[in-house]
Amino acid sequence: LVNSKLLFVFAFQTGHTTGPSLNNDKLYKFAYSAEVYVDRVKASLQKSAGYRISSGVDVNLLWRNPDNDDDQLIKITIKDVKVENVNERPDAKNIFKGRSTEKIIGKEYLEALQRPIVIELVRGKVKTFYSYQNEPGFTQNIKRGLASLFQLQLHSGSSREVDISGKCNTTYHVRQDQVTKIKDLDSCEIERKGFTSHNRILDVGTKATSATVYVLEDSFIKSIKAEENFVFVLNYRRKTGAKIISKQRLELKSVQAGMGLIAAKQVAGVIKTLDPNYVAIPLEAEPVKSECKKCPSLSEHWQSIREHMHPDKLSKPEAAKNFLSFIQNIRKATKEDILKIIKSENKDFLPQVVDAVTSAQTPESLEAILEFLDFKDASTFILQERFLYACGFASHPSETLLKSLTEKFKGDVASEEIRETLVIVMGALIRKLCDREGCKLPAVVEAKRLILNRLEKAKKDDNVQMYLLALKNALLPEAIPLLLKYAESGEGPISSLAATALQRYDPSFLTKEVKETMNRIYHQTRKVHEKTVRTTAAAIILNSNPSYMEVKNILLSIGELPMEMNKYMLSMIQDILHFEMPSSKTVRQVLKDMRTHNYDRFSKTGSSSAYTGYITRGPDVSSTYSLDILYSGSGILRRSNMNIHAFDRNTELHAIQVVIEAQGLESIIAATPDEGEENLDSFAGMSAILFDFQLRPVTFFQGYGDLMSKMLSATGDPMNVVKGLVLLTDFLQEIQLQSGPTASAEFMGGLAIDISGGMEFSLWYRESKTNVKNRVAIFVAGNTEVDSFFVKTGMETTLEAETALDFISTVQFSQYPFLVCMQMDRVDSPFRTHMTKYESLPSGRRYTARRGKAATLAGNEYPLHQENSNMCKKVFGSKSDSAGSWF
């Protein structure tokens, strides 16, 4: 006779699909434990928050299919349950001390947990899971977690398996008496809540692993060790993050004599004999969430944070912190509760309420805000604008939101500026939904068609600009031919806007046709273009893998251009070289030719410039600033452009762009306009991009009459471009742990922002000044928690910072070349981080451990090129001490 061990080894080595097999009339007694740990990513487990559930587990065979030995019915019973700290802790810090298991879990729940379950194992896989119908979800899930451990196959290979985690890709590696099961948690199909931020840089990086090691003896399980790891880190600051580790251990302690098998041909007969109350239920976990019993209502919460949301306090981290907590509560609220707050608040606080309600992005919050706002009423302009901007910044917009905005745009809108903002925001939502593979959604298709069709039919310049701004946000590949048409054939601002829209596309979309058009614009092959359009065309060419001849032709043009444009293009080429941009290799090749690289070409004078530098260079994310400024030949600003980009190895984020443009101002100082700019209307305005979202541009003045009245009544105060609260990072992931509990990781980042800009002009001192002020405060909160219904454990982490960044350019045009000084300053920036680990019982008993750190990042004046530094010394050296007020 061949013993069972040899049979098992034979099955093992020949790849037979036989699963683990129990002996008849035996009771297998196991020791079981399930542990969870929550901590910082690199922290050791010895100081982690967490808990351990331990118990005995009895396993015995009830029935074996007479026609198939691989079909077994197994009874599993949990007994002697204990709940304790996962790490040793002094009595004063031990929330479980002095409490019986019955008191911690609850008598009813403990009884439910200790009721037996039955599983049908067919070839090692759980075919059916039997339990009692109305048991609490959390005890049912603990049993599902235990049952899932008994599922294994005895040959190497991969398959899709169903267990407590859902339907997952699972791989087995078999080696002698050891089996390793690797589960791909990212592949698991299970219902769970969650969302991520739109841009990867602002999002949270995640990693999840699961491995289970089985040691077998005599064709059955001797021990099991399972471990799951979940890691979450902020992509823009990887030091801020958390991990959840879940461990299960099952170890065979003894084998005793047990009850005999139940005689039956079918499983149903066995179950009926055992207990008719047993029902087959899914092995996948059921959603369980413990309810908050002492949480304040939405109205109570708002009253507790209201004072921090006053307009005067909006640039502080406290405002961003309370903005985030308000969003969390709105997400749990009904439409009626939300409307109650909106309708009762006054005009000072209402814009901040609108920011939060819109950012919550729930069906209830959207219904509430749309019911409250009346787009036919121009008196609520500020609230409508704040609502639309919050939609534009939405982290995970829905198709319903885009559909609602499209309907509003088609209807009556009292304010033309709101109508313009509506379509600009629709463009941003199209892009975000397309990025998430939603380009074919009916609402997206309709919105795209509306914008493209109306642009083609638009007659008025204002309407053309409105739809071009929408396309600048949408970045649709099918819009490129239209943008090319307006860039080459449009006049003034329209041509410039179409060109800057093309500049935002990824270079992979810039086809041969695009580059040919940009070359015609820059070299003015078909018509004369403004400097702003030509320089944008040159930037597009140089940023999209230019050919040797394209670079050579641009370099040969320097010297033949208007004076300030010569200097600007020279600065652009030098910036490409010093910053080692992708086209720098081609530029260096071209410069080996002395016809392009000579003193005459590279010694052009002027005040225009372009410069790029690093703000930060780090292992996670780096950020750059760029300042470029273009003047007319008479010394008046044509365009100043400040950009801040953040990027990692795979993604780029256009964090901030502030562009101030002016034209047609030469008549004020009796100067001669440059070629192609003789008939331009007097105009100055500002345009901003914030976190990849193009805002509606702001006009300082339009027309000569408006200019003169603004100059005579000017206070020198900057004009606000954007002010409010923005939800920057918005990440939620609910996790089903294999041991039974549910876990969640939530990270939110709020930004309180105030960007303003102004342009001052003095005829008396023949001086102009542009000033862009950026005031920001950020607050990021992360909460990683494991909820077992009777105990919660987790970690809260926060970081907060505030800073101000000013960009000032001063021009003195009393002489030529005129004096230009550019400054980019950052003030001292306080930075604080806090971390709290906790364990708590529903009774209110709680353990917490806190750590915090505060620092100040010293202020900095960002370096530009040496030429600028020399010029600043002259500007401030020559300024009269008796300088009076501006017009």
Side-chain angles (χ1 to χ4, degrees):
L1 287 175
V2 182
N3 69 26
S4 61
K5 189 164 185 176
L6 285 174
L7 279 173
F8 165 70
V9 171
F10 174 74
F12 215 80
Q13 291 174 342
T14 55
H16 193 267
T17 54
T18 305
S21 179
L22 284 80
N23 289 324
N24 304 352
D25 311 329
K26 297 290 182 189
L27 177 67
Y28 296 82
K29 297 187 86 65
F30 289 89
Y32 175 66
S33 69
E35 301 171 345
V36 292
Y37 302 81
V38 184
D39 212 329
R40 288 170 297 121
V41 176
K42 291 190 175 176
S44 73
L45 296 185
Q46 278 71 36
K47 292 185 179 179
S48 299
Y51 60 87
R52 177 189 296 116
I53 300 174
S54 55
S55 71
V57 172
D58 288 356
V59 179
N60 63 286
L61 183 68
L62 295 174
W63 171 84
R64 196 189 302 276
N65 189 335
D67 302 323
N68 178 8
D69 280 358
D70 282 339
D71 185 357
Q72 307 165 91
L73 209 57
I74 297 168
K75 180 179 167 187
I76 301 170
T77 309
I78 295 172
K79 40 197 339 189
D80 306 324
V81 180
K82 226 171 125 187
V83 184
E84 57 196 339
N85 283 118
V86 76
N87 287 312
E88 277 191 40
R89 200 165 284 153
D91 290 354
K93 295 180 178 180
N94 185 346
I95 62 169
F96 305 112
K97 183 68 180 173
R99 297 199 160 217
S100 66
T101 305
E102 189 176 292
K103 209 163 186 181
I104 294 167
I105 295 179
K107 187 179 178 184
E108 253 180 75
Y109 296 127
L110 185 59
E111 284 175 0
L113 188 60
Q114 295 185 148
R115 279 189 211 116
I117 53 167
V118 176
I119 58 171
E120 184 183 6
L121 272 185
V122 178
R123 295 178 182 269
K125 306 295 172 80
V126 178
K127 182 184 177 186
T128 321
F129 175 72
Y130 295 96
S131 189
Y132 295 94
Q133 184 81 61
N134 299 315
E135 266 196 22
F138 93 91
T139 59
Q140 206 77 281
N141 282 348
I142 290 173
K143 293 179 186 180
R144 286 179 167 110
L146 180 58
S148 296
L149 287 179
F150 285 86
Q151 180 160 268
L152 79 153
Q153 70 182 38
L154 301 181
H155 67 283
S156 296
S158 299
S159 63
R160 276 187 74 70
E161 279 185 5
V162 175
D163 68 5
I164 183 170
S165 308
K167 194 170 188 179
C168 313
N169 293 339
T170 310
T171 304
Y172 288 89
H173 300 284
V174 178
R175 190 178 171 192
Q176 294 181 345
D177 59 353
Q178 186 171 298
V179 179
T180 302
K181 176 163 75 173
I182 306 292
K183 186 159 53 176
D184 179 1
L185 294 172
D186 292 330
S187 72
C188 295
E189 290 174 22
I190 191 169
E191 193 179 323
R192 58 186 169 198
K193 281 186 191 170
F195 40 76
T196 58
S197 303
H198 174 251
N199 187 283
R200 187 179 176 277
I201 287 174
L202 299 174
D203 203 21
V204 173
T206 63
K207 189 178 180 184
T209 58
S210 170
T212 307
V213 177
Y214 295 83
V215 176
L216 304 166
E217 189 176 81
D218 289 338
S219 77
F220 196 52
I221 294 159
K222 183 182 180 185
S223 70
I224 304 172
K225 286 183 183 177
E227 185 171 318
E228 289 180 304
N229 284 266
F230 300 88
V231 174
F232 308 91
V233 288
L234 276 180
N235 286 337
Y236 50 92
R237 190 178 188 269
R238 297 184 80 82
K239 282 183 184 175
T240 300
K243 68 180 173 189
I244 297 171
I245 294 177
S246 169
K247 294 184 178 185
Q248 289 171 281
R249 286 189 180 87
L250 189 71
E251 196 171 339
L252 183 64
K253 291 296 180 185
S254 65
V255 181
Q256 301 175 6
M259 53 185 275
L261 300 186
I262 297 171
K265 285 196 171 182
Q266 301 292 332
V267 170
V270 182
I271 295 298
K272 196 173 180 183
T273 306
L274 193 64
D275 188 339
N277 293 318
Y278 271 124
V279 289
I281 60 172
L283 188 57
E284 296 104 316
E286 60 186 276
V288 179
K289 194 78 180 169
S290 52
E291 298 205 357
C292 185
K293 291 171 184 172
K294 296 177 184 176
C295 288
S297 67
L298 185 65
S299 184
E300 288 168 340
H301 177 76
W302 169 244
Q303 290 306 318
S304 71
I305 65 166
R306 186 175 180 271
E307 63 174 296
H308 299 293
M309 306 296 269
H310 192 276
D312 295 342
K313 297 181 179 179
L314 281 194
S315 58
K316 296 291 176 190
E318 199 67 25
K321 174 185 177 180
N322 288 291
F323 170 63
L324 297 181
S325 68
F326 192 33
I327 289 172
Q328 285 176 315
N329 276 282
I330 292 168
R331 284 178 171 168
K332 300 170 195 167
T334 63
K335 173 186 162 184
E336 290 70 28
D337 289 340
I338 298 166
L339 272 170
K340 189 177 167 186
I341 290 177
I342 298 174
K343 288 178 177 177
S344 65
E345 204 41 86
N346 68 37
K347 65 176 184 180
D348 285 340
F349 292 92
L350 207 41
Q352 289 74 261
V353 173
V354 169
D355 285 343
V357 170
T358 312
S359 299
Q361 300 171 76
T362 64
E364 293 79 8
S365 65
L366 180 59
E367 281 179 34
I369 197 72
L370 288 174
E371 185 174 311
F372 174 73
L373 291 174
D374 181 5
F375 284 82
K376 296 172 189 170
D377 180 6
S379 67
T380 57
F381 172 88
I382 289 173
L383 300 179
Q384 293 169 36
E385 185 178 55
R386 289 285 275 264
F387 161 69
L388 290 172
Y389 279 160
C391 291
F393 291 120
S395 52
H396 50 279
S398 65
E399 184 189 8
T400 309
L401 175 60
L402 178 58
K403 189 177 179 183
S404 303
L405 295 193
T406 307
E407 285 168 5
K408 294 291 178 191
F409 181 74
K410 288 176 178 175
D412 293 335
V413 181
S415 162
E416 197 52 43
E417 288 180 327
I418 290 298
R419 184 174 161 74
E420 188 180 335
T421 309
L422 256 168
V423 78
I424 290 170
V425 171
M426 283 164 60
L429 296 180
I430 288 168
R431 183 185 178 196
K432 288 183 177 183
L433 288 165
C434 282
D435 284 349
R436 294 183 182 231
E437 299 179 352
C439 245
K440 292 180 181 176
L441 293 169
V444 177
V445 172
E446 186 190 353
K448 284 198 290 186
R449 191 188 300 124
L450 182 146
I451 293 167
L452 292 168
N453 289 350
R454 293 204 181 183
L455 174 58
E456 290 196 73
K457 293 173 186 173
K459 303 294 180 200
K460 291 182 185 174
D461 283 359
D462 285 353
N463 284 341
V464 172
Q465 288 185 55
M466 175 171 79
Y467 295 118
L468 286 176
L469 284 163
L471 292 179
K472 192 173 178 181
N473 273 329
L475 299 181
L476 299 170
E478 60 264 44
I480 289 175
L482 263 177
L483 293 172
L484 289 175
K485 175 186 130 184
Y486 283 105
E488 190 167 21
S489 309
E491 295 299 327
I494 288 175
S495 175
S496 180
L497 180 53
T500 57
L502 286 163
Q503 197 175 12
R504 292 198 69 203
Y505 280 83
D506 186 271
S508 61
F509 288 102
L510 302 180
T511 58
K512 185 183 174 188
E513 185 190 356
V514 175
K515 290 172 80 174
E516 284 173 356
T517 307
M518 292 303 109
N519 276 291
R520 285 198 302 269
I521 291 171
Y522 177 73
H523 295 291
Q524 304 192 119
T525 312
R526 291 186 179 172
K527 62 175 276 194
V528 174
H529 293 275
E530 292 177 35
K531 289 194 296 292
T532 50
V533 183
R534 294 180 70 191
T535 51
T536 303
I540 291 170
I541 296 164
L542 292 168
N543 193 41
S544 52
N545 193 24
S547 67
Y548 181 91
M549 283 310 297
E550 283 173 328
V551 173
K552 184 174 181 177
N553 287 334
I554 286 173
L555 280 165
L556 288 173
S557 72
I558 298 173
E560 312 299 325
L561 306 167
M563 195 175 297
E564 282 299 324
M565 191 173 163
N566 272 328
K567 180 64 176 170
Y568 181 86
M569 288 305 301
L570 197 55
S571 274
M572 188 193 284
I573 295 294
Q574 288 167 336
D575 194 40
I576 287 169
L577 293 172
H578 110 264
F579 204 69
E580 294 288 340
M581 292 179 190
S583 58
S584 59
K585 285 183 181 177
T586 311
V587 173
R588 287 185 203 283
Q589 282 180 325
V590 174
L591 288 176
K592 289 176 183 176
D593 184 345
M594 291 309 292
R595 282 172 298 174
T596 55
H597 191 194
N598 57 56
Y599 177 78
D600 179 56
R601 205 177 304 288
F602 276 74
S603 62
K604 297 301 177 188
T605 57
S607 303
S608 300
S609 64
Y611 185 82
T612 304
Y614 279 102
I615 297 176
T616 57
R617 293 182 85 168
D620 310 329
V621 171
S622 296
S623 56
T624 60
Y625 65 93
S626 64
L627 292 173
D628 62 74
I629 196 156
L630 175 65
Y631 293 97
S632 67
S634 54
I636 293 176
L637 173 80
R638 279 297 272 118
R639 182 184 65 207
S640 84
N641 188 349
M642 181 196 81
N643 288 279
I644 295 176
H645 285 85
F647 55 92
D648 61 14
R649 288 173 188 166
N650 307 304
T651 317
E652 186 174 322
L653 172 69
H654 200 167
I656 294 176
Q657 180 188 70
V658 181
V659 179
I660 293 181
E661 285 202 58
Q663 64 179 39
L665 304 185
E666 284 77 10
S667 57
I668 302 168
I669 57 170
T672 306
D674 290 344
E675 180 196 14
E677 301 181 359
E678 297 87 354
N679 302 316
L680 294 178
D681 204 11
S682 298
F683 164 85
M686 180 157 63
S687 170
I689 290 173
L690 191 59
F691 301 108
D692 275 334
F693 171 40
Q694 168 71 56
L695 309 178
R696 178 174 49 79
V698 174
T699 300
F700 297 149
F701 56 79
Q702 179 90 48
Y704 188 75
D706 189 25
L707 163 62
M708 294 314 292
S709 70
K710 293 273 171 65
M711 282 177 67
L712 294 169
S713 62
T715 61
D717 293 336
M719 183 180 282
N720 187 260
V721 182
V722 61
K723 183 175 186 174
L725 296 156
V726 178
L727 182 58
L728 205 59
T729 295
D730 193 15
F731 174 90
L732 173 68
Q733 187 174 325
E734 289 193 347
I735 304 152
Q736 178 57 56
L737 299 182
Q738 186 173 280
S739 55
T742 53
S744 63
E746 183 176 27
F747 286 82
M748 296 176 81
L751 188 75
I753 192 159
D754 185 349
I755 297 180
S756 56
M759 184 175 180
E760 302 177 54
F761 199 87
S762 171
L763 288 177
W764 185 261
Y765 294 104
R766 297 181 76 78
E767 185 173 281
S768 73
K769 184 184 283 188
T770 58
N771 190 348
V772 177
K773 292 176 179 288
N774 300 279
R775 303 279 177 274
V776 293
I778 186 169
F779 188 90
V780 178
N783 186 21
T784 309
E785 183 175 81
V786 178
D787 184 355
S788 291
F789 194 80
F790 58 89
V791 58
K792 283 184 182 180
T793 185
M795 186 179 79
E796 293 169 352
T797 181
T798 66
L799 75 88
E800 58 185 90
E802 56 185 300
T803 192
L805 192 68
D806 288 352
F807 167 50
I808 304 159
S809 65
T810 307
V811 186
Q812 291 182 351
F813 47 87
S814 54
Q815 62 187 54
Y816 193 87
F818 36 84
L819 301 176
V820 180
C821 170
M822 291 190 293
Q823 297 160 278
M824 185 168 162
D825 301 339
R826 179 176 48 74
V827 299
D828 287 355
S829 306
F831 181 88
R832 292 175 286 275
T833 59
H834 294 278
M835 184 269 292
T836 304
K837 289 184 278 193
Y838 63 88
E839 296 156 4
S840 69
L841 297 174
S843 62
R845 206 166 181 184
R846 188 176 171 93
Y847 159 76
T848 55
R850 292 185 176 89
R851 279 182 66 180
K853 199 166 142 187
T856 299
L857 194 61
N860 188 21
E861 184 169 337
Y862 288 99
L864 300 175
H865 39 80
Q866 186 59 45
E867 197 177 321
N868 181 68
S869 303
N870 298 338
M871 197 88 80
C872 288
K873 287 174 188 172
K874 288 183 184 177
V875 167
F876 292 111
S878 66
K879 288 189 86 163
S880 168
D881 292 336
S882 60
S885 65
W886 296 75
F887 277 105

